[in-house]
Amino acid sequence: MASSGAEIHFLGAKTFGSSPLKPASSVREVSFAGMIKPNMASFGLPKSKLNIYSKISQRFTIGPRMVMSDVFGVNICRMNLEAEGRKPIVKSNAEGQRMMPVVVTCAANRNGLAEAKLIVLVIGGGGREHALCYALQQSPSCAAVLCAPGNAGISRSGDATCIPDLNIFDSTDVISFCQNQGVGLIVVGPEAPLVAGLANDLVKAGIPTFGPSSEAAALEGSKNFMKSLCCKYGIPTAKYQSFTDAAAAKHFVKEQGAPVVIKADGLAAGKGVIVAMTLDEAYEAVDSMLVRGDFGSAGFRIIVEEYLEGEEASFFALVDGENAIPLESAQDHKRVGDGDTGPNTGGMGAYSPAPILTKELQSLVMKSIILPTVKGMAAEGCKYVGVLYAGLMIEKKSGLPKLIEYNVRFGDPECQVLMMRLESDLAQVLLAACEGKLAGVSLNWSPGSAMVVVMASNGYPGKYKKGTVIRNIDKAEHSSPSVKVFHAGTALDSDEHFIAVGGRVLGVAASGRDLQGARDRAYQAVEQIEWPGGFFRRDIGWRALLQKHSSL
């Protein structure tokens, strides 16, 4: 799509997306009473009512509710303010319609018809969602990016307009909001709303939604379901047994010996996997889940799984129900400490591409793991639409990939490095997945590398203090054009300072010509941030860099 000049997009203008617009063939800009100004109070309306959202100085999305009107061969906007009880300072056109002063530019496609751009709503409020908002904001087909609930960092960055009061677990509220605001695509970030059935209700309401149904989300919501699917369709994975009785589980653990892996069956915020190196550690893990109930309902059933030795890698594929296309490779660091020591976390850093996932291995993963899963889910009557995140172990003894787990959303922090490298129009690709049109789609990626270093609150993944002040985030982000700071758990205090309100708080990402270059920039940016209440790993990417140096 070709466009020129300023573009103005209006939240809630349903006709903007429901019928072709008529471009002015010989006039690029048509002005009515002057150009729109960032200071919207000049139109007699308070800023609190206008909700000005701007990422680029020439792109605005404004409210309250708008009504489209075709005048003089171009589409302009008539503000419906009667319900607000206000009289805008505007002029009238020849038909007596009160018009807001705007400059309208038509964006024409190859057929000479203007194409409507998507308003996208991202569900969630962590670092993954910030990365998705960042990539969507770069999408040529995206008019505006909204994020619910979002967080202070996402809002302050300008990568999306946050909607903190929208209840993402209330389908009725989400559907009403989308219909009123003309949302054309929803991207669901976290797994909990998916398992709860949000995508089911949105799709039923006719809203394109990137994310699986609750039935398909059981791939992550129940490890027992995932393991059963693997067994039925011949997908390579670790040997296992499931238990609800602690004594039986411990008996099996004793038979298998240590090391062994104990997993809570349900969702446990990334903390339901314990790699027990001794029998005592394994017995304690069993008791924590089945006896003491430390993981709540997620631990009412557990999986006891063989320990696989090798190197972990993350593999992502976009799925439209029948077709799947791979994303670039990435690898994260689960352990909290340098040298991959200490307890597991949600992820302390990541990089892309991952050298361990060669092109040959990627092809094998698609053939032996991803495609059988997609076909198996369809055969089970729950077609999968969304992103499949396969946690893999590349076995040391065989060099072959085995499936450790599935996640039904983009990984965090892997999503950050993938979005740093993506060059394709993310909004169009995700919409194609929703419409079952991924066949033949290919993605473009930057040729270099990207890395993200996670900064977490002291004490994480255990108890940590909230409310510690973080300074110089802007300084870090401005240290290089290749640096981007993603916010996962930040808020603003009464003095407008960023404070930490989560375990993993920031993801400092950077791109470079190679992994070493990306790493240098990321850590240089991290050093700019003043946060005594936080910590980070200093060795992200060490395996890949060691592999590179050993091959020289």
Side-chain angles (χ1 to χ4, degrees):
M1 180 176 68
S3 64
S4 61
E7 297 176 4
I8 302 175
H9 308 285
F10 300 97
L11 212 63
K14 294 183 180 180
T15 56
F16 191 81
S18 61
S19 61
L21 309 181
K22 298 179 181 179
S25 58
S26 60
V27 182
R28 286 191 171 184
E29 293 185 351
V30 180
S31 178
F32 294 88
M35 294 183 66
I36 196 167
K37 296 180 180 179
N39 180 11
M40 296 303 294
S42 63
F43 294 109
L45 294 167
K47 290 183 179 180
S48 62
K49 287 291 183 184
L50 282 163
N51 301 324
I52 304 171
Y53 317 129
S54 63
K55 167 63 177 174
I56 304 171
S57 61
Q58 292 178 318
R59 178 182 293 176
F60 298 88
T61 306
I62 58 179
R65 184 87 176 270
M66 304 288 180
V67 180
M68 298 303 295
S69 175
D70 190 334
V71 180
F72 306 126
V74 298
N75 283 75
I76 58 179
C77 191
R78 177 166 55 89
M79 296 187 69
N80 183 7
L81 292 172
E82 284 73 18
E84 300 289 338
R86 297 181 177 276
K87 295 182 179 181
I89 305 173
V90 296
K91 295 185 178 182
S92 299
N93 66 8
E95 299 175 5
Q97 296 172 319
R98 293 191 299 174
M99 306 309 303
M100 187 175 185
V102 296
V103 174
V104 179
T105 300
C106 290
N109 62 19
R110 294 176 182 176
N111 299 319
L113 292 176
E115 290 184 347
K117 293 192 175 186
L118 285 169
I119 295 173
V120 183
L121 172 64
V122 176
I123 299 291
R128 167 185 50 233
E129 288 74 38
H130 192 176
L132 290 170
C133 290
Y134 167 76
L136 288 165
Q137 191 65 257
Q138 318 304 315
S139 296
S141 64
C142 194
V145 183
L146 313 177
C147 187
N151 64 47
I154 296 174
S155 180
R156 179 72 69 87
S157 71
D159 291 321
T161 299
C162 293
I163 317 293
D165 297 330
L166 183 62
N167 184 357
I168 62 174
F169 289 96
D170 188 326
S171 297
T172 302
D173 279 0
V174 177
I175 291 169
S176 176
F177 176 85
C178 292
Q179 291 174 340
N180 287 336
Q181 307 301 342
V183 171
L185 172 66
I186 294 183
V187 181
V188 185
E191 65 277 12
L194 293 169
V195 173
L198 177 62
N200 301 56
D201 297 333
L202 294 172
V203 170
K204 189 179 296 184
I207 302 170
T209 303
F210 184 79
S213 65
S214 59
E215 295 79 9
L219 277 174
E220 179 173 1
S222 170
K223 293 178 180 63
N224 187 58
F225 174 85
M226 184 274 285
K227 286 287 192 178
S228 299
L229 189 84
C230 289
C231 290
K232 185 173 182 178
Y233 293 98
I235 300 165
T237 187
K239 298 175 183 176
Y240 81 104
Q241 288 284 350
S242 63
F243 298 92
T244 56
D245 178 73
K250 289 179 181 178
H251 180 74
F252 182 75
V253 165
K254 186 176 181 180
E255 287 182 342
Q256 298 303 305
V260 67
V261 181
I262 313 296
K263 297 181 177 181
D265 178 55
L267 297 177
K271 301 174 184 176
V273 177
I274 298 174
V275 180
M277 302 308 293
T278 67
L279 288 178
D280 285 341
E281 288 179 4
Y283 296 153
E284 168 60 22
V286 171
D287 285 341
S288 71
M289 296 178 190
L290 292 180
V291 178
R292 296 197 301 271
D294 292 349
F295 293 83
S297 60
F300 287 176
R301 177 187 295 274
I302 68 170
I303 304 296
V304 180
E305 188 177 85
E306 72 168 317
Y307 174 81
L308 297 177
E309 188 175 359
E311 188 170 350
E312 291 188 40
S314 304
F315 189 93
F316 299 87
L318 303 182
V319 183
D320 68 3
E322 297 181 358
N323 306 291
I325 59 173
L327 301 183
E328 264 288 2
S329 62
Q331 188 164 14
D332 74 339
H333 294 259
K334 289 294 187 188
R335 299 298 185 104
V336 71
D338 289 353
D340 291 333
T341 58
N344 273 349
T345 69
M348 294 300 296
Y351 55 90
S352 174
I356 192 171
L357 277 173
T358 63
K359 294 299 181 184
E360 293 76 16
L361 266 180
Q362 291 181 53
S363 178
L364 180 59
V365 171
M366 285 294 293
K367 181 179 179 181
S368 65
I369 296 176
I370 300 298
L371 292 177
T373 300
V374 174
K375 292 177 181 178
M377 292 295 286
E380 295 296 315
C382 46
K383 285 187 175 183
Y384 190 95
V385 175
V387 62
L388 261 184
Y389 163 18
L392 305 174
M393 179 67 75
I394 312 303
E395 274 202 289
K396 185 176 181 180
K397 61 182 179 181
S398 68
L400 298 177
K402 282 190 175 181
L403 179 66
I404 298 175
E405 64 179 3
Y406 267 132
N407 293 315
V408 297
R409 29 72 184 187
F410 285 97
D412 186 351
E414 297 97 328
C415 184
Q416 285 88 311
V417 291
L418 291 175
M419 295 304 105
M420 288 288 286
R421 295 188 58 212
L422 182 66
E423 294 183 341
S424 297
D425 187 322
L426 180 62
Q428 283 299 309
V429 173
L430 300 187
L431 186 61
C434 297
E435 296 174 344
K437 297 178 180 179
L438 279 182
V441 172
S442 60
L443 300 174
N444 297 321
W445 303 89
S446 66
S449 297
M451 177 178 287
V452 62
V453 178
V454 170
M455 301 186 74
S457 297
N458 289 336
Y460 176 81
K463 293 182 179 180
Y464 53 85
K465 182 180 178 181
K466 295 183 179 181
T468 55
V469 176
I470 310 168
R471 303 182 190 276
N472 291 344
I473 295 176
D474 288 345
K475 185 177 179 180
E477 198 156 35
H478 294 151
S479 63
S480 168
S482 301
V483 169
K484 176 68 179 178
V485 179
F486 296 109
H487 291 247
T490 61
L492 293 173
D493 65 13
S494 57
D495 295 320
E496 295 292 300
H497 294 138
F498 278 115
I499 58 173
V501 293
R504 293 186 297 163
V505 177
L506 297 173
V508 182
S511 55
R513 294 180 60 184
D514 54 23
L515 186 58
Q516 185 64 58
R519 185 181 190 277
D520 291 344
R521 287 173 178 165
Y523 277 106
Q524 287 167 8
V526 167
E527 294 295 344
Q528 299 292 323
I529 296 174
E530 294 182 10
W531 183 26
F535 75 99
F536 57 93
R537 279 185 58 165
R538 298 179 180 274
D539 65 344
I540 302 302
W542 71 271
R543 287 183 184 273
L545 291 171
L546 182 64
Q547 179 180 331
K548 178 181 179 180
H549 292 150
S550 64
S551 64
L552 295 178

